[in-house]
Amino acid sequence: MGSLLIAGGRVIDPSQKMDRITNILIREGRIAAYDVPVQEAEQVLDATGKIVCPGLIDMHVHLREPGQEEDETIETGTAAALAGGFTTVVCAPNTDPPIDTQGVVAFIRHQAAKADHCNVYVLGCVSKNRQGKELAEIGQLVEAGAVGFTDDGDPIADAELLRQAFLYCRMFNKPILDHAEDKDLTEGGIMHEGLVSLILGLTGMPSASEEVIIARDIALAEATGGRLHLMHISTINGLEIIRRAKRRAVQVTCEVTPHHLTLTDECLRSFDPNYKVNPPLRGREHVEALVAALQDGTIDVIASDHAPHALEKKMQEIDQAPFGVIGLETTLGVIATRLIEPGLLDWPTVIEKMTINPARILGLPKGTLAIGADADLTIIDPEARWTVDPRQFRSKSSNTPFAGWELKGRAVATIVGGRIKYSCL
């Protein structure tokens, strides 16, 4: 593998507290040097006027394979990741069969290697078959390469099972990622419980359903010394519970999605199933609280929760359609347009929450441009203007709530292991 020089870009690497104009030399798939003259490289990529950062990491992605290939495959999902600027994705285990054996982990890793797009890491199930009754073989899954554990799609309802899982995962220094939802409170729910749901006559999902599980999870993490990561946080009170736990030095982290940062339950007035997600889109006051929690550091990670569904599944009556939207190809643009452009966040903060923070939570050797690190880089044009067109997606599905949005900012090159995997420069 020859040398590649990324020339003249604004290099932002929160892991090194770096933000400056420089050249980066890549050799043999690793970061070799900074401030290298252009003539010393075999290939040069001009990044003038662009942002160069560690390859983006999405720690919450549903690739659907095995078992739901009509929605997405590892090949199409990782192609979508590259187009969105992601060099690494972490796939959730709600596949068919679920990721609860070494064999399924091996299959996913094989399919990812065959696709040869971006890095794919795997989350294993907490419980066998995701049924919440018996612990999965956590040690064997770690041995096979699982970087964390979750029954995502379903919460871990049994508190004793979760307590045991924390104790087991602590032995391997792996986090448990939980979908915080008390299903007794959300049974039959379609959208956020509030004035809009009342007006529309749609069954609501109360904020309390998320908050009671957050409180329980944190109590168990604190009691066991386990590591907890709360997925797709969406409520004011939930954030405050997390904020207080962090002050007590509980090992808890959390993430937020672009759709929860930018959309509200008012969108459901259209009855468009592309706005049906779980947790549901909530009121404007919750959106403002989420943005504030990003600003003060309570929220550690921005993740897409990329949840593809085939058209024939998603475009049903809203009470029949499945929850979920896709996000790999729109996350960066939506965040840049709605949070960075108006000055609510800056580029270093966003990049930190999409690179080194998820890498540290999951123990991944990624998220940095330090000398000797894997040469995974994303080049971003912060001035690029584009329109979201699902017909152009590399994902197999098109269930996006952002269709037709005019966005500013997008990935223009994605480099994985020193190889240019995607480029529109």
Side-chain angles (χ1 to χ4, degrees):
M1 183 184 294
S3 60
L4 170 65
L5 189 79
I6 313 299
R10 176 190 173 189
V11 178
I12 302 177
D13 181 3
S15 77
Q16 302 183 83
K17 298 185 173 15
M18 179 184 291
D19 186 352
R20 64 186 178 94
I21 306 296
T22 186
N23 298 342
I24 302 179
L25 179 67
I26 296 169
R27 185 179 289 124
E28 300 299 325
R30 295 189 177 275
I31 305 297
Y34 287 94
D35 304 314
V36 175
V38 170
Q39 59 266 27
E40 291 192 17
E42 297 173 32
Q43 182 181 3
V44 176
L45 202 59
D46 184 6
T48 304
K50 312 295 191 297
I51 292 170
V52 181
C53 67
L56 302 182
I57 299 169
D58 193 336
M59 67 178 290
H60 189 172
V61 171
H62 301 269
L63 293 178
R64 302 302 190 203
E65 187 179 3
Q68 297 142 26
E69 288 83 357
E70 68 276 12
D71 300 327
E72 192 78 282
T73 64
I74 291 170
E75 197 281 330
T76 59
T78 53
L82 292 176
F86 293 98
T87 60
T88 297
V89 297
V90 183
C91 62
N94 55 337
T95 50
D96 185 15
I99 306 174
D100 63 353
T101 66
Q102 290 182 317
V104 182
V105 176
F107 170 80
I108 291 169
R109 297 180 71 172
H110 171 78
Q111 292 297 91
K114 182 179 175 182
D116 194 24
H117 289 151
C118 67
N119 307 299
V120 176
Y121 290 91
V122 174
L123 295 171
C125 293
V126 171
S127 66
K128 291 182 178 179
N129 206 35
R130 291 180 55 249
Q131 291 181 341
K133 297 178 180 178
E134 183 180 357
L135 280 181
E137 297 294 342
I138 287 172
Q140 292 181 16
L141 289 167
V142 170
E143 187 178 275
V147 297
F149 293 87
T150 181
D151 279 356
D152 186 35
D154 287 309
I156 304 165
D158 186 326
E160 173 57 18
L161 186 80
L162 178 58
R163 189 184 72 85
Q164 293 175 14
F166 273 128
L167 293 171
Y168 272 97
C169 287
R170 184 179 175 184
M171 291 191 292
F172 303 102
N173 193 28
K174 300 297 180 185
I176 290 178
L177 296 76
D178 201 16
H179 168 117
E181 177 190 2
D182 185 327
K183 290 209 165 186
D184 290 334
L185 294 174
T186 60
E187 186 174 359
I190 294 170
M191 64 174 294
H192 172 62
E193 182 180 86
L195 179 60
V196 179
S197 66
L198 180 64
I199 292 170
L200 298 179
L202 296 176
T203 305
M205 303 168 72
S207 300
S209 66
E210 181 172 310
E211 294 151 7
V212 296
I213 299 300
I214 289 174
R216 182 208 65 169
D217 287 0
I218 287 173
L220 291 173
E222 190 168 17
T224 60
R227 294 174 55 210
L228 170 66
H229 178 80
L230 292 158
M231 308 170 93
H232 44 46
I233 294 301
S234 70
T235 76
I236 294 172
N237 289 340
L239 286 168
E240 189 53 37
I241 296 168
I242 294 166
R243 194 173 278 118
R244 290 198 302 266
K246 287 192 169 194
R247 292 186 191 127
R248 299 196 307 274
V250 180
Q251 295 187 86
V252 57
T253 54
C254 62
E255 70 189 41
V256 68
T257 73
H259 44 278
H260 288 111
L261 287 166
T262 57
L263 304 172
T264 72
D265 56 348
E266 292 284 344
C267 296
L268 273 296
R269 289 181 182 272
S270 66
F271 289 89
D272 183 345
N274 283 322
Y275 294 112
K276 184 181 178 183
V277 292
N278 187 11
L281 302 177
R282 303 200 187 271
R284 174 57 55 187
E285 68 278 14
H286 294 281
V287 172
E288 292 172 355
L290 291 169
V291 173
L294 279 172
Q295 293 168 334
D296 70 19
T298 300
I299 296 177
D300 306 273
V301 171
I302 297 170
S304 73
D305 190 9
H306 178 80
H309 294 290
L311 187 64
E312 63 272 16
K313 294 181 180 179
K314 190 64 170 174
M315 299 310 291
Q316 302 183 69
E317 294 294 326
I318 198 164
D319 60 333
Q320 299 297 316
F323 292 102
V325 298
I326 57 175
L328 282 169
E329 295 172 75
T330 55
T331 290
L332 185 61
V334 169
I335 296 299
T337 304
R338 289 302 183 93
L339 297 181
I340 296 177
E341 182 69 11
L344 297 172
L345 294 175
D346 57 22
W347 278 107
T349 299
V350 167
I351 289 168
E352 180 181 39
K353 294 177 189 297
M354 297 178 71
T355 59
I356 191 60
N357 282 6
R360 285 172 175 161
I361 290 167
L362 295 175
L364 309 182
K366 303 291 181 181
T368 181
L369 297 179
I371 301 298
D374 292 341
D376 295 349
L377 302 92
T378 302
I379 301 178
I380 300 165
D381 184 347
E383 301 300 321
R385 295 186 180 275
W386 58 290
T387 301
V388 177
D389 182 358
R391 296 172 299 180
Q392 303 299 316
F393 283 168
R394 287 158 178 80
S395 173
K396 200 168 184 178
S397 292
S398 58
N399 53 308
T400 175
F402 301 115
W405 279 38
E406 300 289 334
L407 301 179
K408 181 182 178 184
R410 74 182 308 177
V412 291
T414 310
I415 300 168
V416 183
R419 295 183 293 165
I420 301 171
K421 293 289 189 171
Y422 169 84
S423 178
C424 55
L425 284 173

